[in-house]
Amino acid sequence: MKNRHLRKAVVATAAITAGLLMTACQSSTADSSSGKSGTGAAAVAEKASDSKGSNGSVDSAGSKNSNGVSGSFKNGKVTYLAPGKYIVSVPGKGDQQFLVADDTEVYGAGTICGDAGSEVDAPCTLDQLEAATKKAAVSADVEMRNGIATLVTERRAAQQGNGGKGVNGTWFGNVSYLAPGKYTVSDMKGTEQQFLVAEDTRIWGYGDICGDANTGEGGQGGTECTEAELETAAKKGFSAEVVISNGIATTVRDDH
């Protein structure tokens, strides 16, 4: 009788132990499977996120990674490509795509915005730039940093290639800053003449733009200044001799 009860107890214990072991294995397998599945999903999500992040940095013209093009594109034709994206075509340089940003400065001379008869370029909005370039390519100069335009300046008819003739002559007067690359020189009568500066504009200082009155041999040579120095001086105002050819200054020499 005791042996019979003992056998039943052993069988029951074995059954319970087997059940517990089976449950533990199933739980462990489920946890393991769940863990692998979770890790795989996280890895895919992370890879997708990295991929999107990489594409995003490239699509945003590389400004965040400093991979975009920088430089000046003079006398180009700006064409609309997509919202916020344009192409500037410059003879000898080919086509260069660029983006615009909230802080991109745009100046017009009758096509993008403003009045073609005005001597001073008008500040335009990005919407006006888009509307104008959707109609036709616009002649403009583009300053670019890391693939993003910092400045888009419409060129006047007199400045567009050889199709027109800009102002020529020599002016003596006060030089004032208008916009990046744009200045006016006012004579004694108060008549203002707007002019541009180019990469080959020679800028000489004798203490007003840069340098001092005693630079050069016998104080006659002067110091060659940068456009940044010219801009800083012109924002304050100074007297100079400005030689202009086709609307672009060939020489700016402060009055020493």
Side-chain angles (χ1 to χ4, degrees), residues 205-227:
Y206 297 83
D208 291 333
I209 304 175
C210 71
D212 61 66
N214 297 318
T215 54
E217 294 182 5
Q220 299 300 314
T223 300
E224 190 159 11
C225 312
T226 66
E227 186 177 341

Side-chain angles (χ1 to χ4, degrees), residues 34 43 59 92 118 154 156 176 253:
S34 175
D59 291 342
S118 174
E154 180 185 341
R156 296 177 180 275
S176 300
R253 189 184 302 271

Side-chain angles (χ1 to χ4, degrees), residues 77-129:
K77 295 286 187 181
V78 176
T79 306
Y80 175 83
L81 186 61
K85 297 182 180 180
Y86 299 84
I87 290 176
V88 58
S89 303
V90 178
K93 287 188 177 182
D95 297 346
Q96 176 58 53
Q97 182 178 330
F98 66 92
L99 303 180
V100 294
D102 290 340
D103 57 353
T104 299
E105 294 184 61
V106 182
Y107 290 91
T111 302
I112 302 176
C113 73
D115 183 0
S118 174
E119 293 185 358
V120 180
D121 293 340
C124 311
T125 65
L126 295 179
D127 288 340
Q128 289 172 318
L129 173 64

Side-chain angles (χ1 to χ4, degrees), residues 51-235:
S51 176
K52 289 180 180 179
S54 174
N55 291 336
S57 62
V58 172
D59 291 342
S60 63
S63 61
K64 294 180 180 178
N65 296 327
S66 299
N67 291 328
V69 173
S70 298
S72 299
F73 296 81
K74 303 289 187 181
N75 196 21
K77 295 286 187 181
V78 176
T79 306
Y80 175 83
L81 186 61
K85 297 182 180 180
Y86 299 84
I87 290 176
V88 58
S89 303
V90 178
K93 287 188 177 182
D95 297 346
Q96 176 58 53
Q97 182 178 330
F98 66 92
L99 303 180
V100 294
D102 290 340
D103 57 353
T104 299
E105 294 184 61
V106 182
Y107 290 91
T111 302
I112 302 176
C113 73
D115 183 0
S118 174
E119 293 185 358
V120 180
D121 293 340
C124 311
T125 65
L126 295 179
D127 288 340
Q128 289 172 318
L129 173 64
E130 180 175 315
T133 52
K134 277 183 175 179
K135 296 177 183 177
V138 175
S139 294
D141 298 333
V142 180
E143 296 291 333
M144 206 177 301
R145 183 179 298 120
N146 294 332
I148 299 177
T150 58
L151 176 67
V152 178
T153 307
E154 180 185 341
R155 294 180 67 88
R156 296 177 180 275
Q159 303 165 2
Q160 296 174 17
N162 298 322
K165 293 182 179 180
V167 173
N168 296 283
T170 301
W171 277 260
F172 298 88
N174 189 62
V175 175
S176 300
Y177 172 83
L178 283 180
K182 291 181 172 57
Y183 303 83
T184 62
V185 55
S186 305
D187 60 21
M188 295 292 292
K189 297 179 181 179
T191 303
E192 289 189 348
Q193 176 58 53
Q194 180 177 333
F195 65 91
L196 304 176
V197 295
E199 293 179 358
D200 57 353
T201 298
R202 304 299 298 271
I203 306 169
W204 296 100
Y206 297 83
D208 291 333
I209 304 175
C210 71
D212 61 66
N214 297 318
T215 54
E217 294 182 5
Q220 299 300 314
T223 300
E224 190 159 11
C225 312
T226 66
E227 186 177 341
E229 290 172 321
L230 171 65
E231 180 175 313
T232 299
K235 286 180 178 179

